[in-house]
Amino acid sequence: MSAAKARVGIDIGATKMHGVAATSDGTVLADVLATTPTGGDAVVSAAAELVAQLRARVGDVLDGVVGVGVPGLVDAAGGNVKHAVNLGVDDWFPIAERLAERTGARVVVDNDVNAAALGAAQVTGHDDLVYLSLGTGLAAASILDGRLRRGFRSAAGEIGHVPVDPRGHPCQCGQVGCLETAASGSAVAEAWPVAGIAPAQALFDAAAAGDPRAVAVRDTFAARVADAIRLVCLTVDPEYVVLGGGVAQVGERLRVAVAHALAEQAATSPFLRSLDLPGRVLLVPGDVPVAALGAALLAGVPS
Ligand SMILES: [Zn+2]
């Protein structure tokens, strides 16, 4: 009897790094956490430390491959990352090569939202979906007919930077009125500023308690997320849209608010109603680290 082989997946977030050892069927055997340091070399050292910890825990079943999900523009074929502003990495940084040197592993790297989409596909059992990451920003990743779509310039799914309001707020990307200025964790934080608790949690709590201003802010936010879902569905028409990212931690209440907004938007449109968008919105399971799990699955995906 031999144990199933497992791989290491590391999700490098803006503030936290999450490492897992997972088998190809999505079973997480061990997971470890660290704070994300600043600077490419420091991030590589921290990632190498997570790999060492996982090897110490479940080393004998690991197959020597490490997958890394990282925010920013990723050249998956070359293993380089660029514009990972939160990591203090501006120019192309050879993260795969550096981590391979430190660990002796074969390292594959991809954008963190792409990794999360792979994890979501594994966990939900669906292979035609768009993963919508409602984090600090707004981004999507597509698994279409079972295949990850990165795009010609690795920019597929950057829907947060589709301008939707010429009179809207300036966006950090240099444009005005981008969708992520209204449909992201940052947008919630600006519309519902609170101290000491996640803004989305506070907003949904206040709305559930009947605060009419909170209800209005929540419903406006849900409508903008619904806009993002319409954009995705009318472009590539995936079977499901999976809501994830930090804002998704408010749980089922988010899915319900967004499904309600989609139903309202379809009220005057038999065309939109026929697409049943509310019925195609799923929430990422709260108890699975999908981004780290997806990173562990990256090596099985063609770059
Ligand atoms: Zn933008």
Side-chain angles (χ1 to χ4, degrees):
M1 194 180 100
S2 68
K5 279 291 179 190
R7 282 180 176 165
V8 169
I10 296 178
D11 175 48
I12 301 176
T15 57
K16 274 187 297 185
M17 299 172 58
H18 198 159
V20 300
T23 56
S24 60
D25 67 358
T27 305
V28 174
L29 304 177
D31 70 327
V32 289
L33 280 169
T35 301
T36 306
T38 302
D41 291 328
V43 166
V44 167
S45 292
E49 174 58 28
L50 290 183
V51 173
Q53 289 176 23
L54 289 166
R55 280 175 172 164
R57 299 258 298 268
V58 295
D60 43 344
V61 298
L62 294 176
D63 72 352
V65 178
V66 172
V68 178
V70 62
L73 201 57
V74 175
D75 152 32
N80 304 303
V81 61
K82 190 179 188 175
H83 294 311
V85 179
N86 293 334
L87 307 185
V89 174
D90 296 328
D91 212 345
W92 285 113
F93 179 76
I95 188 168
E97 186 187 314
R98 296 284 169 82
L99 186 57
E101 285 165 9
R102 292 289 302 269
T103 59
R106 180 164 83 84
V107 178
V108 292
V109 60
D110 211 320
N111 173 267
D112 59 340
V113 183
N114 286 348
L118 288 171
Q122 176 71 51
V123 172
T124 62
H126 300 305
D127 71 351
D128 196 68
L129 61 83
V130 167
Y131 178 86
L132 200 60
S133 176
L134 296 161
T136 308
L138 168 71
S142 306
I143 312 269
L144 303 174
D145 299 324
R147 191 153 178 266
L148 177 66
R149 169 70 190 181
R150 294 188 179 87
F152 180 59
R153 295 272 182 177
S154 305
E158 291 289 354
I159 61 166
H161 299 295
V162 173
V164 290
D165 180 4
R167 293 180 302 275
H169 297 285
C171 180
Q172 45 94 9
C173 77
Q175 303 182 95
V176 170
C178 289
L179 193 46
E180 84 169 27
T181 64
S184 64
S186 306
V188 172
E190 194 170 315
W192 199 258
V194 284
I197 172 176
Q201 194 77 40
L203 172 64
F204 277 74
D205 285 351
D211 178 338
R213 203 167 63 83
V215 169
V217 170
R218 178 199 64 191
D219 290 352
T220 299
F221 170 71
R224 299 294 78 78
V225 175
D227 288 345
I229 292 169
R230 272 194 301 187
L231 177 64
V232 158
C233 289
L234 296 176
T235 307
V236 293
D237 196 18
E239 187 174 4
Y240 293 102
V241 174
V242 181
L243 302 178
V247 175
Q249 285 172 10
V250 304
E252 177 63 11
R253 300 181 291 178
L254 173 68
R255 192 199 60 77
V256 169
V258 170
H260 182 73
L262 284 165
E264 280 205 330
Q265 290 172 348
T268 57
S269 169
F271 159 65
L272 215 49
R273 265 204 308 284
S274 75
L275 303 179
D276 182 28
L277 300 187
R280 292 156 65 183
V281 178
L282 305 177
L283 190 70
V284 74
D287 55 347
V288 182
V290 288
L293 171 62
L297 303 171
L298 277 173
V301 177
S303 62

